[in-house]
Amino acid sequence: MPKIKQLRKFFQKLFKAKIRLIATVGLVLFFFTIPSRLIYSFPPLEPKHPPSREIDLQIPEPDLYPINVTDEAAPYFSARSAIAVDVDSKAVIYMKNPDEKLLPASTTKMVTALVALDNYQLDQVASISSPLREGQIMELYEGEQITVNNLLHGLLVYSGNDAAYALAELDPNGVDGYVAKMNQKVIDLGLKETHFTNPTGLDNGNHYSSVHDLALIGAELMSKPELAQIVQIQNEVVTDTSGEITHELTTINELLGQVEGLKGIKTGWTDAAGECLVSYTERDGHKVITAVLGSYDRFGETRSLIEWVFGNHEWKKVTLPKEINP
């Protein structure tokens, strides 16, 4: 009997342990299944679409673009930087180091002229106190009274450094104030590779520009009839207000009158900068700005670039597709 009682107690303990094990496993499985049921029990979301609407999209007619129809490559240029830009479309036809910051020499005077046109009246009179005697000068006299218009002629036709400083000294804040206006002008034009320290283009480590910027500056100058007329002049005489002091001006630009359709714009040269030239040429209604900096032959290379552009390109309209799929 004792053995039977012992066996009964053993099986009772084993049964209770089995019940506890089953209950524990059940609880574990229950808690593990709760999160998944909570997460996946939501109904599926319906995709939402924005309301449809008609869009009146008008694509402007494209400009005529210069297309190289011969596939002839541009000639070699010694210039450190060179560029040719179609004025109307702003398309770059040719470029060599277009954004390299280089000494611009007297091509600086394009901005000197633009700032003068913005701030002075053409008949405003400047009194020359101490004329500059450095580099190329139109030989202004101390005490001379001369109009802004005639100073602009001396600046752009003969590249007179003394004319540049006379215009700058006329500013209420002097030369420094005038140069600040020049730097603001290029900022207003959206240019990034240009900074000036003087109105003449005399060499300075912090005085620089790029052919791309100079091409756009040239286009801006040629959009001003008063200045566009001046840069086409080959020879002239200007005087002071009394008519007693005369200044004979002869253009530095050897291509004027020699290259078909060429109408300026500005030369430049120093030992450090090398030969520089920004030119504007118009043929058959097509307008092209070229610029070279650091050249060994600014006139020859500019002529070659102009002839290559007009000799190998045709201006064509780029056709856009009628339907544009997003």
Side-chain angles (χ1 to χ4, degrees):
M1 291 296 294
K3 289 184 178 180
I4 294 173
K5 289 182 179 179
Q6 288 178 353
L7 287 171
R8 186 182 294 127
K9 288 181 180 180
F10 172 78
F11 282 113
Q12 286 176 347
K13 289 181 180 179
L14 182 63
F15 179 76
K16 290 180 180 178
K18 186 175 181 180
I19 293 298
R20 284 196 296 267
L21 178 62
I22 292 171
T24 302
V25 172
L27 287 172
V28 170
L29 291 174
F30 174 76
F31 285 114
F32 270 102
T33 58
I34 285 176
S36 64
R37 289 177 180 175
L38 290 174
I39 293 172
Y40 296 108
S41 62
F42 295 110
L45 296 175
E46 293 295 329
K48 293 183 178 180
H49 300 284
S52 60
R53 61 188 178 91
E54 294 184 358
I55 300 175
D56 184 14
L57 179 61
Q58 295 183 349
I59 301 175
E61 285 294 318
D63 291 323
L64 295 174
Y65 288 94
I67 307 297
N68 190 330
V69 294
T70 66
D71 291 329
E72 182 176 334
Y76 167 79
F77 299 113
S78 69
R80 286 188 61 180
S81 293
I83 200 168
V85 179
D86 178 52
V87 173
D88 290 331
S89 68
K90 302 299 186 294
V92 176
I93 306 170
Y94 170 85
M95 61 181 176
K96 174 185 178 182
N97 302 324
D99 300 315
E100 185 176 358
K101 296 175 181 177
L102 297 172
L103 296 170
S106 285
T107 60
T108 297
K109 290 169 182 157
M110 293 189 295
V111 179
T112 309
L114 287 168
V115 170
L117 193 66
D118 287 343
N119 291 275
Y120 306 144
Q121 297 296 317
L122 292 178
D123 59 358
Q124 187 172 342
V125 177
S127 181
I128 308 302
S129 56
S130 54
L132 188 70
R133 291 288 181 258
E134 185 177 1
Q136 180 84 3
I137 58 173
M138 63 180 292
E139 297 186 6
L140 294 170
Y141 289 89
E142 186 172 350
E144 180 177 351
Q145 304 288 307
I146 187 169
T147 64
V148 166
N149 184 56
N150 283 349
L151 286 174
L152 285 171
H153 283 248
L155 179 81
L156 295 175
V157 176
Y158 198 62
S159 197
N161 290 341
D162 49 354
Y165 263 91
L167 289 167
E169 289 170 346
L170 193 58
D171 188 271
N173 296 310
V175 174
D176 289 343
Y178 195 86
V179 173
K181 288 184 174 68
M182 292 173 63
N183 287 317
Q184 186 59 50
K185 183 67 176 180
V186 294
I187 291 173
D188 293 343
L189 292 174
L191 309 181
K192 306 294 185 182
E193 283 85 37
T194 298
H195 184 267
F196 301 120
T197 62
N198 61 73
T200 62
L202 292 171
D203 296 333
N204 182 291
N206 202 32
H207 189 107
Y208 53 81
S209 190
S210 68
V211 289
H212 196 183
D213 280 8
L214 289 172
L216 297 177
I217 291 168
E220 177 68 12
L221 184 146
M222 294 302 290
S223 73
K224 309 297 182 182
E226 304 92 333
L227 302 179
Q229 179 269 331
I230 295 174
V231 296
Q232 298 182 59
I233 296 171
Q234 297 183 50
N235 297 281
E236 66 171 338
V237 176
V238 299
T239 70
D240 69 338
T241 55
S242 70
E244 296 178 0
I245 300 175
T246 61
H247 303 280
E248 295 184 7
L249 307 177
T250 300
T251 184
I252 307 297
N253 193 344
E254 296 178 7
L255 298 183
L256 274 175
Q258 301 299 315
V259 173
E260 178 191 350
L262 189 136
K263 299 180 178 181
I265 310 174
K266 192 68 197 73
T267 59
W269 176 87
T270 67
D271 285 333
E275 297 185 15
C276 309
L277 179 61
V278 181
S279 295
Y280 174 98
T281 307
E282 183 172 350
R283 296 181 186 175
D284 299 323
H286 306 305
K287 296 164 282 189
V288 172
I289 296 276
T290 59
V292 297
L293 291 177
S295 171
Y296 288 102
D297 181 13
R298 57 183 170 177
F299 299 121
E301 292 188 338
T302 294
R303 183 195 292 265
S304 295
L305 182 54
I306 291 169
E307 297 303 338
W308 173 78
V309 168
F310 286 102
N312 295 280
H313 292 75
E314 292 181 2
W315 273 254
K316 298 184 177 183
K317 184 169 290 189
V318 177
T319 303
L320 295 175
K322 293 183 179 180
E323 294 183 359
I324 300 177
N325 296 317

